[in-house]
Amino acid sequence: MDAKELVREYYEKGAYKDAKVMQGFIHDDLLLQWHSSKGFLQLEKNDLVALVSEMQKSYSDARVEISHLIAEGNSVCVRYTHYVHAFENPAEETILAHFILVWEIKDNKLYKGFLMSQLG
C-alpha cells in the first residue's frame, strides 16, 4: 500500500478515534508535533494513544470530513474537519476543530506528523 492509501485507510477505518485500531497504523517511534490555537504539543506514540483514549471517554461519536489529501513520495498532507457528538447531547454534531497535517510514512506506518489546528 502506498503512503496516500495508508493515510486514507487510517481515516476511513476510524483509527483517529479508536486507540486500539490506531495502534495498528502508528510507528513505535511516532512523533507528532502539534501547533494548536492553545500552544505547542509534542506527542509520542503513548501520548497520542492516551489522548485518543481520553477522547473516547468524552464523545459518543466522532467523524472527519477530508477536503484535501495530497501525497508526494512518503509524505501525505491531509486537511480535514473533525466533528464530534458529546455524551450530553448525542443528537447534536459539533465541529471540534479544523486540521491540516503532514504525515511522513516509515515502514508502512505513520511515523512523523506535523499538525496545525484551529478550534471550530
Side-chain angles (χ1 to χ4, degrees):
M1 160 177 348
D2 71 16
K4 187 174 182 179
E5 291 169 340
L6 175 70
V7 172
R8 183 186 317 274
E9 187 172 314
Y10 173 80
Y11 291 100
E12 286 179 353
K13 290 198 176 211
Y16 63 91
K17 65 180 180 178
D18 185 326
K20 290 179 184 175
V21 176
M22 174 183 278
Q23 292 200 44
F25 283 89
I26 59 177
H27 198 280
D28 287 340
D29 297 323
L30 175 109
L31 181 64
L32 179 64
Q33 295 180 341
W34 183 357
H35 292 271
S36 76
S37 51
K38 295 190 175 191
F40 177 74
L41 291 172
Q42 187 160 294
L43 306 174
E44 295 178 350
K45 180 180 182 175
N46 291 337
D47 303 320
L48 184 58
V49 170
L51 176 67
V52 170
S53 294
E54 284 303 310
M55 287 189 65
Q56 285 179 281
K57 296 174 187 174
S58 300
Y59 300 105
S60 63
D61 197 16
R63 72 176 179 92
V64 298
E65 187 174 293
I66 296 173
S67 62
H68 294 81
L69 188 62
I70 302 166
E72 183 175 308
N74 286 333
S75 295
V76 180
C77 180
V78 59
R79 180 176 175 259
Y80 61 92
T81 301
H82 194 149
Y83 298 88
V84 293
H85 294 262
F87 283 110
E88 298 81 14
N89 192 0
E92 183 181 337
E93 182 176 70
T94 59
I95 294 174
L96 178 63
H98 304 283
F99 294 87
I100 188 157
L101 174 55
V102 178
W103 282 115
E104 288 183 12
I105 309 304
K106 180 179 177 181
D107 303 329
N108 208 34
K109 302 266 185 174
L110 305 176
Y111 174 60
K112 284 189 181 174
F114 306 92
L115 174 64
M116 291 185 75
S117 65
Q118 182 176 358
L119 293 175

Short mmCIF file of all heavy atoms in Angstrom, two decimals, residues 9-60:
data_model
loop_
_atom_site.label_atom_id
_atom_site.label_comp_id
_atom_site.label_asym_id
_atom_site.label_seq_id
_atom_site.Cartn_x
_atom_site.Cartn_y
_atom_site.Cartn_z
N GLU A 9 -6.79 5.10 4.53
CA GLU A 9 -7.33 3.98 5.29
C GLU A 9 -7.38 4.30 6.79
O GLU A 9 -8.34 3.92 7.48
CB GLU A 9 -6.49 2.72 5.05
CG GLU A 9 -7.09 1.49 5.67
CD GLU A 9 -6.36 0.22 5.26
OE1 GLU A 9 -6.08 0.05 4.05
OE2 GLU A 9 -6.08 -0.60 6.16
N TYR A 10 -6.38 5.01 7.29
CA TYR A 10 -6.34 5.41 8.70
C TYR A 10 -7.61 6.19 9.06
O TYR A 10 -8.25 5.92 10.09
CB TYR A 10 -5.10 6.27 8.93
CG TYR A 10 -4.99 6.92 10.28
CD1 TYR A 10 -4.54 6.20 11.38
CD2 TYR A 10 -5.33 8.25 10.46
CE1 TYR A 10 -4.43 6.79 12.63
CE2 TYR A 10 -5.22 8.86 11.71
CZ TYR A 10 -4.78 8.13 12.78
OH TYR A 10 -4.67 8.72 14.01
N TYR A 11 -8.00 7.12 8.22
CA TYR A 11 -9.20 7.92 8.50
C TYR A 11 -10.48 7.15 8.19
O TYR A 11 -11.45 7.24 8.93
CB TYR A 11 -9.14 9.25 7.75
CG TYR A 11 -8.07 10.15 8.31
CD1 TYR A 11 -6.83 10.27 7.70
CD2 TYR A 11 -8.28 10.85 9.50
CE1 TYR A 11 -5.83 11.07 8.24
CE2 TYR A 11 -7.29 11.65 10.05
CZ TYR A 11 -6.07 11.75 9.41
OH TYR A 11 -5.09 12.52 9.97
N GLU A 12 -10.51 6.39 7.11
CA GLU A 12 -11.71 5.65 6.74
C GLU A 12 -12.05 4.57 7.77
O GLU A 12 -13.22 4.29 8.01
CB GLU A 12 -11.57 5.03 5.35
CG GLU A 12 -11.68 6.06 4.24
CD GLU A 12 -11.50 5.48 2.84
OE1 GLU A 12 -11.16 4.27 2.71
OE2 GLU A 12 -11.69 6.24 1.87
N LYS A 13 -11.04 3.96 8.37
CA LYS A 13 -11.28 2.92 9.39
C LYS A 13 -11.53 3.51 10.77
O LYS A 13 -11.77 2.77 11.72
CB LYS A 13 -10.11 1.95 9.44
CG LYS A 13 -10.03 1.08 8.20
CD LYS A 13 -9.19 -0.12 8.41
CE LYS A 13 -9.27 -0.96 7.15
NZ LYS A 13 -9.15 -2.35 7.40
N GLY A 14 -11.46 4.84 10.89
CA GLY A 14 -11.74 5.49 12.16
C GLY A 14 -10.63 5.32 13.19
O GLY A 14 -10.87 5.45 14.39
N ALA A 15 -9.41 5.06 12.74
CA ALA A 15 -8.29 4.87 13.66
C ALA A 15 -8.01 6.11 14.49
O ALA A 15 -7.55 6.02 15.62
CB ALA A 15 -7.03 4.46 12.88
N TYR A 16 -8.33 7.27 13.95
CA TYR A 16 -8.12 8.54 14.66
C TYR A 16 -8.99 8.64 15.93
O TYR A 16 -8.72 9.44 16.81
CB TYR A 16 -8.42 9.74 13.75
CG TYR A 16 -9.86 9.77 13.30
CD1 TYR A 16 -10.82 10.46 14.02
CD2 TYR A 16 -10.26 9.09 12.16
CE1 TYR A 16 -12.15 10.45 13.64
CE2 TYR A 16 -11.58 9.08 11.76
CZ TYR A 16 -12.52 9.76 12.50
OH TYR A 16 -13.83 9.74 12.11
N LYS A 17 -10.02 7.79 16.04
CA LYS A 17 -10.94 7.87 17.18
C LYS A 17 -10.99 6.59 18.00
O LYS A 17 -11.74 6.51 18.96
CB LYS A 17 -12.36 8.24 16.71
CG LYS A 17 -13.02 7.20 15.83
CD LYS A 17 -14.41 7.63 15.40
CE LYS A 17 -15.06 6.58 14.52
NZ LYS A 17 -16.41 6.97 14.15
N ASP A 18 -10.18 5.61 17.65
CA ASP A 18 -10.19 4.32 18.34
C ASP A 18 -8.74 3.92 18.66
O ASP A 18 -7.99 3.55 17.76
CB ASP A 18 -10.86 3.27 17.48
CG ASP A 18 -11.03 1.93 18.16
OD1 ASP A 18 -10.17 1.54 18.98
OD2 ASP A 18 -12.03 1.25 17.86
N ALA A 19 -8.37 3.99 19.93
CA ALA A 19 -6.98 3.74 20.33
C ALA A 19 -6.49 2.36 19.92
O ALA A 19 -5.33 2.20 19.53
CB ALA A 19 -6.84 3.93 21.85
N LYS A 20 -7.35 1.36 19.97
CA LYS A 20 -6.93 0.00 19.60
C LYS A 20 -6.65 -0.09 18.10
O LYS A 20 -5.65 -0.68 17.69
CB LYS A 20 -8.00 -1.01 20.00
CG LYS A 20 -8.10 -1.21 21.50
CD LYS A 20 -9.19 -2.19 21.86
CE LYS A 20 -9.31 -2.28 23.37
NZ LYS A 20 -10.42 -3.13 23.78
N VAL A 21 -7.51 0.48 17.29
CA VAL A 21 -7.30 0.47 15.84
C VAL A 21 -6.09 1.32 15.48
O VAL A 21 -5.27 0.94 14.63
CB VAL A 21 -8.56 0.96 15.09
CG1 VAL A 21 -8.32 1.04 13.59
CG2 VAL A 21 -9.75 0.06 15.39
N MET A 22 -5.94 2.45 16.15
CA MET A 22 -4.83 3.37 15.88
C MET A 22 -3.48 2.67 16.01
O MET A 22 -2.58 2.91 15.20
CB MET A 22 -4.89 4.56 16.83
CG MET A 22 -3.69 5.48 16.71
SD MET A 22 -3.74 6.82 17.88
CE MET A 22 -4.84 7.91 16.99
N GLN A 23 -3.33 1.83 17.00
CA GLN A 23 -2.04 1.20 17.26
C GLN A 23 -1.54 0.38 16.07
O GLN A 23 -0.34 0.20 15.90
CB GLN A 23 -2.10 0.38 18.53
CG GLN A 23 -2.27 1.30 19.73
CD GLN A 23 -1.86 0.67 21.02
OE1 GLN A 23 -0.84 0.02 21.10
NE2 GLN A 23 -2.66 0.88 22.05
N GLY A 24 -2.43 -0.09 15.22
CA GLY A 24 -2.03 -0.82 14.02
C GLY A 24 -1.50 0.07 12.91
O GLY A 24 -0.89 -0.42 11.96
N PHE A 25 -1.71 1.37 13.04
CA PHE A 25 -1.31 2.32 12.00
C PHE A 25 -0.08 3.15 12.36
O PHE A 25 0.55 3.71 11.48
CB PHE A 25 -2.45 3.29 11.69
CG PHE A 25 -3.53 2.70 10.84
CD1 PHE A 25 -4.61 2.04 11.43
CD2 PHE A 25 -3.49 2.81 9.46
CE1 PHE A 25 -5.62 1.51 10.65
CE2 PHE A 25 -4.49 2.27 8.67
CZ PHE A 25 -5.55 1.61 9.26
N ILE A 26 0.23 3.27 13.64
CA ILE A 26 1.29 4.20 14.03
C ILE A 26 2.59 3.48 14.38
O ILE A 26 2.58 2.40 14.98
CB ILE A 26 0.85 5.15 15.16
CG1 ILE A 26 0.43 4.41 16.41
CG2 ILE A 26 -0.27 6.06 14.68
CD1 ILE A 26 0.06 5.33 17.58
N HIS A 27 3.67 4.08 13.98
CA HIS A 27 5.01 3.56 14.19
C HIS A 27 5.36 3.63 15.68
O HIS A 27 4.92 4.53 16.38
CB HIS A 27 6.00 4.42 13.37
CG HIS A 27 7.31 3.78 13.14
ND1 HIS A 27 8.30 3.77 14.09
CD2 HIS A 27 7.81 3.13 12.05
CE1 HIS A 27 9.36 3.15 13.60
NE2 HIS A 27 9.09 2.75 12.37
N ASP A 28 6.17 2.68 16.14
CA ASP A 28 6.60 2.69 17.55
C ASP A 28 7.36 3.96 17.90
O ASP A 28 7.33 4.40 19.05
CB ASP A 28 7.46 1.46 17.86
CG ASP A 28 6.64 0.18 17.93
OD1 ASP A 28 5.41 0.26 18.13
OD2 ASP A 28 7.24 -0.91 17.79
N ASP A 29 8.05 4.54 16.93
CA ASP A 29 8.83 5.76 17.16
C ASP A 29 8.09 7.01 16.71
O ASP A 29 8.71 8.02 16.37
CB ASP A 29 10.18 5.67 16.43
CG ASP A 29 11.04 4.53 16.95
OD1 ASP A 29 11.00 4.29 18.18
OD2 ASP A 29 11.73 3.88 16.15
N LEU A 30 6.76 6.95 16.71
CA LEU A 30 5.94 8.09 16.26
C LEU A 30 6.30 9.37 17.02
O LEU A 30 6.54 9.34 18.22
CB LEU A 30 4.46 7.80 16.51
CG LEU A 30 3.55 9.00 16.19
CD1 LEU A 30 2.74 8.74 14.96
CD2 LEU A 30 2.68 9.35 17.37
N LEU A 31 6.31 10.46 16.28
CA LEU A 31 6.48 11.79 16.87
C LEU A 31 5.51 12.72 16.15
O LEU A 31 5.54 12.83 14.93
CB LEU A 31 7.92 12.30 16.70
CG LEU A 31 8.19 13.68 17.30
CD1 LEU A 31 8.02 13.66 18.82
CD2 LEU A 31 9.60 14.12 16.94
N LEU A 32 4.63 13.35 16.92
CA LEU A 32 3.65 14.29 16.37
C LEU A 32 3.92 15.67 16.97
O LEU A 32 3.86 15.84 18.18
CB LEU A 32 2.23 13.84 16.71
CG LEU A 32 1.09 14.74 16.23
CD1 LEU A 32 1.03 14.80 14.72
CD2 LEU A 32 -0.24 14.27 16.80
N GLN A 33 4.25 16.62 16.10
CA GLN A 33 4.46 18.00 16.52
C GLN A 33 3.21 18.77 16.16
O GLN A 33 2.87 18.88 14.99
CB GLN A 33 5.70 18.59 15.84
CG GLN A 33 6.97 17.88 16.25
CD GLN A 33 8.19 18.45 15.58
OE1 GLN A 33 8.11 19.13 14.56
NE2 GLN A 33 9.35 18.17 16.15
N TRP A 34 2.54 19.31 17.19
CA TRP A 34 1.21 19.88 17.02
C TRP A 34 1.21 21.34 17.47
O TRP A 34 1.41 21.65 18.63
CB TRP A 34 0.24 19.07 17.85
CG TRP A 34 -1.20 19.43 17.78
CD1 TRP A 34 -1.79 20.46 17.09
CD2 TRP A 34 -2.26 18.75 18.43
NE1 TRP A 34 -3.14 20.45 17.27
CE2 TRP A 34 -3.46 19.41 18.09
CE3 TRP A 34 -2.32 17.64 19.27
CZ2 TRP A 34 -4.70 18.99 18.58
CZ3 TRP A 34 -3.55 17.23 19.74
CH2 TRP A 34 -4.72 17.89 19.39
N HIS A 35 0.93 22.22 16.51
CA HIS A 35 0.75 23.65 16.79
C HIS A 35 -0.76 23.90 16.78
O HIS A 35 -1.40 23.79 15.74
CB HIS A 35 1.43 24.52 15.73
CG HIS A 35 2.91 24.43 15.77
ND1 HIS A 35 3.68 25.25 16.54
CD2 HIS A 35 3.77 23.60 15.15
CE1 HIS A 35 4.95 24.95 16.39
NE2 HIS A 35 5.04 23.94 15.54
N SER A 36 -1.30 24.23 17.95
CA SER A 36 -2.74 24.47 18.04
C SER A 36 -2.98 25.91 18.46
O SER A 36 -2.05 26.64 18.80
CB SER A 36 -3.37 23.53 19.08
OG SER A 36 -3.08 23.96 20.39
N SER A 37 -4.24 26.29 18.46
CA SER A 37 -4.60 27.63 18.91
C SER A 37 -4.32 27.81 20.40
O SER A 37 -4.33 28.92 20.91
CB SER A 37 -6.06 27.93 18.58
OG SER A 37 -6.89 26.89 19.05
N LYS A 38 -4.03 26.71 21.09
CA LYS A 38 -3.71 26.77 22.53
C LYS A 38 -2.23 26.58 22.82
O LYS A 38 -1.85 26.54 23.99
CB LYS A 38 -4.53 25.73 23.27
CG LYS A 38 -6.02 26.01 23.21
CD LYS A 38 -6.78 25.11 24.13
CE LYS A 38 -8.23 25.53 24.12
NZ LYS A 38 -9.01 24.91 25.15
N GLY A 39 -1.39 26.44 21.79
CA GLY A 39 0.03 26.28 22.02
C GLY A 39 0.61 25.08 21.29
O GLY A 39 -0.02 24.50 20.41
N PHE A 40 1.84 24.72 21.66
CA PHE A 40 2.58 23.64 21.00
C PHE A 40 2.60 22.40 21.88
O PHE A 40 2.83 22.47 23.08
CB PHE A 40 4.02 24.09 20.74
CG PHE A 40 4.88 23.02 20.12
CD1 PHE A 40 4.73 22.67 18.80
CD2 PHE A 40 5.83 22.36 20.89
CE1 PHE A 40 5.52 21.67 18.23
CE2 PHE A 40 6.63 21.36 20.34
CZ PHE A 40 6.47 21.02 19.01
N LEU A 41 2.35 21.26 21.24
CA LEU A 41 2.46 19.95 21.89
C LEU A 41 3.37 19.06 21.07
O LEU A 41 3.36 19.13 19.83
CB LEU A 41 1.09 19.26 21.97
CG LEU A 41 0.03 19.82 22.88
CD1 LEU A 41 -1.29 19.10 22.65
CD2 LEU A 41 0.45 19.67 24.33
N GLN A 42 4.14 18.23 21.74
CA GLN A 42 4.91 17.21 21.06
C GLN A 42 4.52 15.87 21.67
O GLN A 42 4.67 15.67 22.88
CB GLN A 42 6.41 17.46 21.22
CG GLN A 42 7.24 16.52 20.38
CD GLN A 42 8.63 17.05 20.15
OE1 GLN A 42 8.81 18.06 19.50
NE2 GLN A 42 9.62 16.36 20.69
N LEU A 43 3.96 15.00 20.85
CA LEU A 43 3.43 13.73 21.33
C LEU A 43 4.19 12.56 20.73
O LEU A 43 4.51 12.57 19.55
CB LEU A 43 1.95 13.59 20.96
CG LEU A 43 1.01 14.71 21.38
CD1 LEU A 43 -0.37 14.47 20.79
CD2 LEU A 43 0.94 14.84 22.87
N GLU A 44 4.45 11.58 21.57
CA GLU A 44 4.99 10.30 21.10
C GLU A 44 3.84 9.30 21.04
O GLU A 44 2.70 9.63 21.38
CB GLU A 44 6.10 9.84 22.05
CG GLU A 44 7.30 10.78 22.03
CD GLU A 44 8.40 10.38 22.99
OE1 GLU A 44 8.19 9.47 23.83
OE2 GLU A 44 9.49 10.99 22.91
N LYS A 45 4.14 8.08 20.64
CA LYS A 45 3.10 7.08 20.43
C LYS A 45 2.17 6.94 21.64
O LYS A 45 0.96 7.03 21.52
CB LYS A 45 3.72 5.73 20.09
CG LYS A 45 2.70 4.64 19.86
CD LYS A 45 3.34 3.31 19.51
CE LYS A 45 2.25 2.26 19.26
NZ LYS A 45 2.84 0.99 18.81
N ASN A 46 2.74 6.73 22.81
CA ASN A 46 1.92 6.51 24.01
C ASN A 46 1.07 7.74 24.34
O ASN A 46 -0.06 7.60 24.82
CB ASN A 46 2.79 6.12 25.20
CG ASN A 46 3.39 4.74 25.03
OD1 ASN A 46 2.88 3.90 24.31
ND2 ASN A 46 4.50 4.50 25.71
N ASP A 47 1.61 8.93 24.09
CA ASP A 47 0.87 10.16 24.35
C ASP A 47 -0.35 10.26 23.43
O ASP A 47 -1.45 10.62 23.87
CB ASP A 47 1.75 11.40 24.12
CG ASP A 47 3.00 11.42 24.96
OD1 ASP A 47 2.92 11.03 26.15
OD2 ASP A 47 4.05 11.83 24.44
N LEU A 48 -0.17 9.93 22.15
CA LEU A 48 -1.26 10.01 21.19
C LEU A 48 -2.33 8.97 21.50
O LEU A 48 -3.53 9.27 21.48
CB LEU A 48 -0.74 9.84 19.76
CG LEU A 48 -1.77 10.00 18.65
CD1 LEU A 48 -2.44 11.38 18.70
CD2 LEU A 48 -1.12 9.75 17.29
N VAL A 49 -1.92 7.77 21.83
CA VAL A 49 -2.89 6.72 22.20
C VAL A 49 -3.67 7.14 23.43
O VAL A 49 -4.89 6.97 23.49
CB VAL A 49 -2.17 5.36 22.40
CG1 VAL A 49 -3.11 4.33 23.00
CG2 VAL A 49 -1.60 4.86 21.07
N ALA A 50 -3.00 7.73 24.42
CA ALA A 50 -3.68 8.20 25.63
C ALA A 50 -4.67 9.31 25.31
O ALA A 50 -5.78 9.34 25.86
CB ALA A 50 -2.65 8.67 26.66
N LEU A 51 -4.29 10.23 24.43
CA LEU A 51 -5.18 11.33 24.03
C LEU A 51 -6.44 10.78 23.37
O LEU A 51 -7.55 11.20 23.69
CB LEU A 51 -4.45 12.29 23.09
CG LEU A 51 -5.28 13.43 22.51
CD1 LEU A 51 -5.69 14.40 23.61
CD2 LEU A 51 -4.49 14.16 21.43
N VAL A 52 -6.28 9.84 22.47
CA VAL A 52 -7.44 9.25 21.79
C VAL A 52 -8.30 8.47 22.78
O VAL A 52 -9.54 8.52 22.71
CB VAL A 52 -6.97 8.37 20.61
CG1 VAL A 52 -8.12 7.56 20.04
CG2 VAL A 52 -6.36 9.25 19.53
N SER A 53 -7.68 7.79 23.72
CA SER A 53 -8.45 7.07 24.75
C SER A 53 -9.30 8.02 25.57
O SER A 53 -10.45 7.74 25.89
CB SER A 53 -7.51 6.29 25.67
OG SER A 53 -6.87 5.26 24.95
N GLU A 54 -8.74 9.18 25.91
CA GLU A 54 -9.49 10.19 26.66
C GLU A 54 -10.64 10.76 25.83
O GLU A 54 -11.72 11.01 26.35
CB GLU A 54 -8.57 11.32 27.13
CG GLU A 54 -7.71 10.94 28.31
CD GLU A 54 -8.51 10.47 29.52
OE1 GLU A 54 -9.45 11.18 29.93
OE2 GLU A 54 -8.19 9.39 30.05
N MET A 55 -10.39 10.96 24.53
CA MET A 55 -11.46 11.47 23.67
C MET A 55 -12.60 10.47 23.57
O MET A 55 -13.76 10.86 23.49
CB MET A 55 -10.91 11.83 22.29
CG MET A 55 -10.07 13.09 22.33
SD MET A 55 -9.61 13.70 20.71
CE MET A 55 -11.21 14.14 20.05
N GLN A 56 -12.28 9.18 23.58
CA GLN A 56 -13.31 8.14 23.53
C GLN A 56 -14.22 8.23 24.75
O GLN A 56 -15.40 7.89 24.68
CB GLN A 56 -12.68 6.74 23.47
CG GLN A 56 -12.11 6.39 22.12
CD GLN A 56 -11.48 5.01 22.13
OE1 GLN A 56 -10.37 4.84 22.60
NE2 GLN A 56 -12.20 4.03 21.62
N LYS A 57 -13.69 8.71 25.87
CA LYS A 57 -14.47 8.87 27.09
C LYS A 57 -15.31 10.15 27.08
O LYS A 57 -16.25 10.29 27.84
CB LYS A 57 -13.55 8.89 28.31
CG LYS A 57 -12.81 7.60 28.54
CD LYS A 57 -11.81 7.75 29.68
CE LYS A 57 -10.93 6.53 29.80
NZ LYS A 57 -9.87 6.72 30.81
N SER A 58 -14.93 11.10 26.21
CA SER A 58 -15.59 12.41 26.20
C SER A 58 -16.69 12.53 25.14
O SER A 58 -17.57 13.37 25.29
CB SER A 58 -14.55 13.51 25.94
OG SER A 58 -13.57 13.51 26.95
N TYR A 59 -16.60 11.73 24.09
CA TYR A 59 -17.55 11.87 22.98
C TYR A 59 -18.17 10.52 22.64
O TYR A 59 -17.50 9.51 22.63
CB TYR A 59 -16.85 12.44 21.74
CG TYR A 59 -16.24 13.81 22.00
CD1 TYR A 59 -14.87 13.96 22.16
CD2 TYR A 59 -17.05 14.93 22.13
CE1 TYR A 59 -14.31 15.21 22.42
CE2 TYR A 59 -16.51 16.18 22.39
CZ TYR A 59 -15.14 16.31 22.53
OH TYR A 59 -14.60 17.55 22.80
N SER A 60 -19.47 10.57 22.32
CA SER A 60 -20.15 9.33 21.96
C SER A 60 -19.81 8.89 20.54
O SER A 60 -19.86 7.71 20.23
CB SER A 60 -21.67 9.50 22.10
OG SER A 60 -22.15 10.49 21.22
#
